[in-house]
Amino acid sequence: MDLSHNNLTGAIPSCISNLKKLKVLDLSKNRLHGLLPLLPRVEYLIDLSQNKLTGEISIENGERLFIPSTISLSYNELSGSIPSSVCSPKPRMSYTPTEYINLSNNKLSGIIPSTIGDCSFLIYLNLGNNNLTGIIPTSIGYSLEYLALNDNNLDGSFPTFILEISHLTVLNLGNNNFEGIIPSGLGSMDSLKILSLRSNRFNGSIPEEIMNMQELQILDLSANSFSGLIPFNLGNLTSLTGKLSITTGMYRVQYQLAIKGSTAQLEQMYIYNSGIDLSSNSLDGHIPEEMGLLKGLGMLNLSHNLFSSNIPASIGNISSLQSLDLSSNRLSGSIPQNLTSIDRLGFLNLSHNNLSDRIPRGSHFDTLSLDGSAFAGNEFLCGFPLKKVCDGDHVIGTGDTGPSSKVDEDDQEDGKEKFKLYAIVAIGFVVGLWGLFLVLLLRKQKWWFPYWKFVDSVAVRIVEGCIHKN
């Protein structure tokens, strides 16, 4: 029965649990509401996700506890605890073992039952965005490829048993209350593509071994208490040294990234297929030049740390970079000119540092911050788009500057002087010649020749004056 992607409303009838031969039940992406009924004994798939169902999860069916191969109840309003019978201890050979459980984005509370470990073939487990508490049970399953427990109230230290899950591709423990250091053994997880530990209480330094994860494409350690330096062996992240595309099989990838200054919940890799977010920690020292080796990196966020020294020019070599945030650090020196050559760059924030000198110009680079906010809080920066004029620039008209401004001003002054000179000569000629000419016409002829002699002498003096001035 597949009635997904419709506009169905109302409650799911309780008699649905009586369908004895049902193998697939898909009512996802509707507007169904009311209490979640007793789930039927379905062999392969139950998908009731993206509705408005309430109540608790009940999976008992007669004398047998049963979960199908795939169950998704995500994006509802389910409450209560996760039933301890979520996995059958020994599924019969006639039924496919449970491989996929998605109970995310509900209002579930309590602890994660240890019986989840009874699903010995479980590949996908997503319990994110609930109100779960306590620690992660060590029996959670060693066949997992996808584990998301983000946005809960889980606590304790980093669960070291996860290091033994050899085929894990996605690990999301973000937005919980985990604390302590990250074990160096995390670097031995060769299959990991996405690692998110954001918004916890982890501290200490970032282990160098993390940079040995050759398949890693998303690394998010933001909003913790990490200190010390960024490991310099970034070149070992071989998946980020060239163009890449994430492949996670049949699973929808859920993760968070800080985009354009705000956190976004993402379902797929449509925006960034790679990224490093180490923001909001206490990391210091300088940004490694080796960062430029990660030419496949789509997003880099190192904001709100204690980084000093210059912005490495090698960042301009990251041709795939779409978002760069280095704000709220102690970076100094000039902005590298080759940042203007990153054509894919769509977001830039270098604000609140100690940067200086002229802001580099580029046809695309100029459009990234027309209001100047990306460069705010840098007292010694100057040039477009800031209102502060660099030394040696001269303002013309509405604020444009250029080296030819002094020449233009001199030309304007020369033109004014010449205009005054010609005007004086013209007025003198009219008044001196025609005014006296009319007078002389009324007087005796003896004044005629002395008058023209005087006019000749005045004309000679004017010409000599012009020649001397030029």
Side-chain angles (χ1 to χ4, degrees):
M1 179 185 289
D2 186 351
L3 300 176
S4 61
H5 295 82
N6 283 290
N7 292 312
L8 299 177
T9 59
I12 300 175
S14 58
C15 61
I16 199 169
S17 61
N18 297 328
L19 301 176
K20 303 298 184 181
K21 297 184 178 181
L22 196 63
K23 295 181 180 294
V24 172
L25 174 62
D26 191 348
L27 303 179
S28 63
K29 297 182 180 178
N30 281 287
R31 293 185 293 170
L32 299 169
H33 57 82
L35 294 176
L36 180 69
L38 186 68
L39 297 179
R41 188 173 175 172
V42 175
E43 182 175 354
Y44 293 112
L45 167 70
I46 292 180
D47 192 349
L48 307 181
S49 63
Q50 299 190 46
N51 283 285
K52 297 181 179 180
L53 300 172
T54 58
E56 298 185 1
I57 301 174
S58 177
I59 57 176
E60 295 187 19
N61 195 303
E63 299 179 354
R64 181 149 161 48
L65 305 179
F66 181 75
I67 283 292
S69 173
T70 297
I71 180 168
S72 179
L73 304 177
S74 63
Y75 290 96
N76 280 287
E77 299 176 7
L78 302 176
S79 57
S81 60
I82 300 174
S84 59
S85 54
V86 67
C87 288
S88 298
K90 295 181 180 180
R92 295 177 183 176
M93 295 302 294
S94 57
Y95 292 104
T96 305
T98 303
E99 296 181 349
Y100 183 105
I101 297 177
N102 189 351
L103 306 179
S104 65
N105 295 276
N106 280 287
K107 299 178 181 179
L108 300 173
S109 57
I111 63 172
I112 301 174
S114 60
T115 52
I116 284 186
D118 292 333
C119 292
S120 55
F121 294 93
L122 191 63
I123 296 175
Y124 180 105
L125 178 62
N126 189 349
L127 305 178
N129 285 278
N130 281 288
N131 298 313
L132 301 174
T133 56
I135 63 174
I136 304 174
T138 57
S139 60
I140 204 166
Y142 293 96
S143 59
L144 284 171
E145 296 180 5
Y146 185 112
L147 176 60
L149 304 176
N150 55 289
D151 294 272
N152 282 287
N153 294 308
L154 302 171
D155 53 31
S157 58
F158 185 92
T160 55
F161 70 89
I162 289 180
L163 305 180
E164 301 177 24
I165 306 177
S166 58
H167 298 292
L168 197 63
T169 300
V170 176
L171 175 61
N172 190 351
L173 303 180
N175 291 287
N176 279 287
N177 299 316
F178 295 112
E179 58 187 0
I181 63 172
I182 298 178
S184 60
L186 193 60
S188 63
M189 302 188 72
D190 298 333
S191 301
L192 208 59
K193 295 180 182 291
I194 297 179
L195 173 62
S196 178
L197 305 179
R198 64 176 294 116
S199 298
N200 278 285
R201 300 173 184 173
F202 291 116
N203 54 40
S205 59
I206 299 175
E208 292 186 7
E209 289 79 3
I210 281 188
M211 302 307 167
N212 294 330
M213 292 190 287
Q214 299 182 2
E215 298 295 324
L216 195 65
Q217 299 177 14
I218 296 286
L219 174 63
D220 190 350
L221 305 180
S222 63
N224 280 283
S225 298
F226 292 112
S227 58
L229 306 177
I230 296 179
F232 291 172
N233 55 337
L234 292 164
N236 293 341
L237 300 174
T238 53
S239 286
L240 295 176
T241 57
K243 294 183 178 180
L244 48 85
S245 59
I246 270 191
T247 55
T248 53
M250 58 176 287
Y251 312 130
R252 292 181 63 86
V253 178
Q254 298 179 6
Y255 65 104
Q256 288 183 339
L257 279 179
I259 302 174
K260 299 183 178 181
S262 60
T263 302
Q265 179 79 21
L266 305 177
E267 290 291 333
Q268 296 281 12
M269 290 301 190
Y270 294 139
I271 298 179
Y272 302 121
N273 62 355
S274 59
I276 293 179
D277 190 347
L278 306 180
S279 62
S280 300
N281 282 287
S282 298
L283 299 171
D284 55 21
H286 64 274
I287 300 173
E289 286 282 346
E290 290 80 1
M291 193 69 73
L293 298 174
L294 308 180
K295 296 182 179 180
L297 196 64
M299 185 278 292
L300 177 61
N301 189 347
L302 304 179
S303 65
H304 295 87
N305 277 287
L306 303 173
F307 294 116
S308 57
S309 190
N310 299 337
I311 299 175
S314 61
I315 290 182
N317 298 329
I318 309 178
S319 56
S320 299
L321 200 61
Q322 302 173 52
S323 176
L324 175 62
D325 192 345
L326 305 179
S327 63
S328 299
N329 279 286
R330 300 173 180 176
L331 299 170
S332 59
S334 58
I335 300 172
Q337 177 66 39
N338 64 350
L339 290 186
T340 63
S341 64
I342 308 177
D343 294 332
R344 295 187 180 183
L345 197 62
F347 175 77
L348 175 70
N349 192 352
L350 305 178
S351 63
H352 302 289
N353 280 287
N354 298 316
L355 300 172
S356 58
D357 299 329
R358 187 190 302 274
I359 298 173
R361 301 292 302 272
S363 57
H364 171 65
F365 193 81
D366 288 352
T367 65
L368 296 178
S369 181
L370 295 175
D371 60 355
S373 59
F375 309 103
N378 290 281
E379 182 180 357
F380 302 107
L381 277 181
C382 62
F384 180 85
L386 301 179
K387 295 180 180 180
K388 184 177 181 181
V389 179
C390 298
D391 293 340
D393 289 342
H394 297 273
V395 179
I396 302 175
T398 59
D400 295 332
T401 62
S404 63
S405 58
K406 181 65 177 176
V407 177
D408 293 339
E409 292 175 0
D410 293 340
D411 291 342
Q412 292 176 1
E413 290 297 325
D414 290 343
K416 291 179 180 178
E417 292 295 330
K418 291 180 180 179
F419 177 76
K420 291 178 181 179
L421 177 62
Y422 295 148
I424 292 172
V425 173
I427 293 173
F429 177 76
V430 171
V431 174
L433 176 61
W434 295 106
L436 290 177
F437 179 74
L438 294 174
V439 174
L440 292 175
L441 289 177
L442 302 177
R443 293 180 179 273
K444 297 179 181 181
Q445 293 291 332
K446 66 180 182 179
W447 293 99
W448 182 263
F449 290 104
Y451 164 72
W452 282 112
K453 185 176 180 180
F454 173 75
V455 171
D456 289 340
S457 64
V458 171
V460 169
R461 291 177 182 176
I462 292 175
V463 173
E464 289 177 347
C466 292
I467 294 174
H468 177 72
K469 186 169 182 177
N470 292 333

